């Protein structure tokens, strides 16, 4: 089974019925995870996205390469500008958000700004957009990366764009990579599970720091029925595009 499908299952499992979740640009797998949750265990979750359609009809949804494609809003109950999602989050009415990270440290802080120094970067990244504003105020922060490597899981960020774990705050932070699942706590990232097809050595050898290991499980892959839903929502396999060949 492709790691993308396992990641989608994991991300969907973080959403509870009735919760309000948001995803931003370049987020094909979070979009699929949100609809998978809505079509299975969380029918009353509320879908917010950068395409600005509120609760699009999952029966009319088809994934396109651009997360901002207006066709993603098909059958929505209304249109809400992205700025309004920020206001909702500030009022405590957005339960969770999916964010990517070019770099992720042991406390699940993320870098989406630059590689190298800020003044003279080696690589300019897409930028934080909503990360700096939203990451401290959502109740659940689900980080994801398709590139589990030492370049992603770093000892020290080149630039801190978004905040992960925060001591004393009622905030859950989960990191989902193409190899494993972690949860952030005061001591660092705790390994929750390793995906089918990977070993613990695979996971650890591609990290620049050691996660906390108090025992771990094998990540549960999507069921046959869940795979049918994912394939129906994404018949052109857009979810696989960002994985390296």
């Amino acid at each position: 089974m492709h790691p993308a499908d396992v990641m989608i299952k994991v991300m969907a499992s973080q959403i509870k019925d009735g919760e309000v979740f948001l995803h931003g640009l370049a987020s094909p797998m979070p979009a699929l995870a949100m609809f998978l949750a809505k079509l299975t265990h969380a029918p009353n979750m509320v879908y917010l996205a950068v395409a600005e359609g509120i609760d699009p009809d999952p029966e009319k949804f088809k994934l396109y390469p651009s997360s901002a494609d207006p066709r993603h809003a098909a059958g929505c109950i209304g249109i809400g500008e992205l700025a309004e999602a920020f206001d909702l989050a500030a009022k405590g009415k957005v339960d969770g958000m999916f964010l990517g990270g070019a770099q992720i440290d042991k406390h699940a802080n993320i870098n989406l700004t630059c590689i190298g120094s800020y003044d003279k970067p080696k690589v300019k990244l897409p930028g934080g957009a909503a990360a700096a504003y939203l990451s401290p105020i959502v109740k659940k922060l689900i980080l994801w990366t398709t590139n589990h490597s030492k370049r992603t899981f770093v000892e020290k960020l080149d630039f801190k764009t978004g905040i992960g774990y925060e001591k004393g705050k009622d905030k859950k932070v989960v990191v989902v990579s193409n190899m494993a699942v972690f949860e952030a706590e005061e001591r660092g990232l705790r390994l929750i599970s390793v995906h089918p097809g990977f070993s613990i050595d695979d996971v650890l050898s591609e990290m620049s720091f050691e996660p906390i290991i108090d025992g771990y499980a094998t990540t549960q892959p999507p069921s046959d029925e869940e795979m049918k839903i994912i394939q129906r929502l994404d018949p052109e396999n857009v979810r696989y595009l960002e994985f390296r060949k």
Side-chain angles (χ1 to χ4, degrees), residues 3 7 29 101-104 144-154 175-180 206-207 242-244:
M7 292 175 69
M29 288 188 294
Q103 290 181 329
I104 302 170
W144 57 283
T145 176
T146 62
N147 180 26
H148 186 115
S149 70
K150 289 183 177 180
R151 291 191 302 173
T152 299
F153 289 98
V154 297
V175 180
V176 184
S177 81
N178 55 305
M179 290 189 190
E206 289 297 336
M207 300 179 72
E242 63 185 293
F243 286 80
R244 292 180 174 178

Side-chain angles (χ1 to χ4, degrees), residues 16 34 47-48 67 71 80 84 86-87 95 117 128 142 145 158 160 169 175 207 213 226 239 244:
K16 293 182 179 179
M34 288 164 69
Y47 180 109
L48 301 177
S67 296
R71 291 173 289 184
E84 293 175 351
F86 298 172
D87 291 341
D95 295 291
S117 72
I142 314 301
T145 176
D158 289 347
K160 185 187 290 187
K169 185 176 283 190
V175 180
M207 300 179 72
I213 303 176
E226 288 168 330
R239 64 194 183 278
R244 292 180 174 178

Side-chain angles (χ1 to χ4, degrees), residues 96-185:
M97 182 176 185
F98 291 98
L99 278 173
Q103 290 181 329
I104 302 170
D105 70 13
K106 66 180 180 179
H107 293 297
N109 300 308
I110 61 170
N111 175 17
L112 287 167
T113 303
C114 63
I115 302 298
S117 72
Y118 182 78
D119 294 328
K120 293 183 178 180
K122 296 177 182 177
V123 179
K124 285 188 176 181
L125 299 172
Y133 181 82
L134 291 172
S135 61
I137 58 177
V138 294
K139 301 167 189 174
K140 290 182 180 180
L141 182 62
I142 314 301
L143 306 178
W144 57 283
T145 176
T146 62
N147 180 26
H148 186 115
S149 70
K150 289 183 177 180
R151 291 191 302 173
T152 299
F153 289 98
V154 297
E155 190 71 40
K156 183 179 179 181
L157 303 176
D158 289 347
F159 189 96
K160 185 187 290 187
T161 310
I163 299 173
Y165 175 80
E166 295 178 83
K167 186 177 180 180
K169 185 176 283 190
D170 184 18
K171 172 185 173 187
K172 183 178 183 181
V173 185
V174 174
V175 180
V176 184
S177 81
N178 55 305
M179 290 189 190
V181 182
F182 306 88
E183 187 166 345
E185 55 184 51

Side-chain angles (χ1 to χ4, degrees), residues 14-21 44-47 95-96 140:
Q14 302 302 316
I15 302 170
K16 293 182 179 179
D17 198 24
E19 290 185 329
V20 178
F21 258 77
N44 299 303
M45 67 84 64
V46 178
Y47 180 109
D95 295 291
K140 290 182 180 180

Side-chain angles (χ1 to χ4, degrees), residues 6 192-198 216-221:
V6 178
I192 301 297
S193 66
V194 176
H195 299 340
F198 295 98
Y216 60 92
T218 299
T219 310
Q220 184 177 355

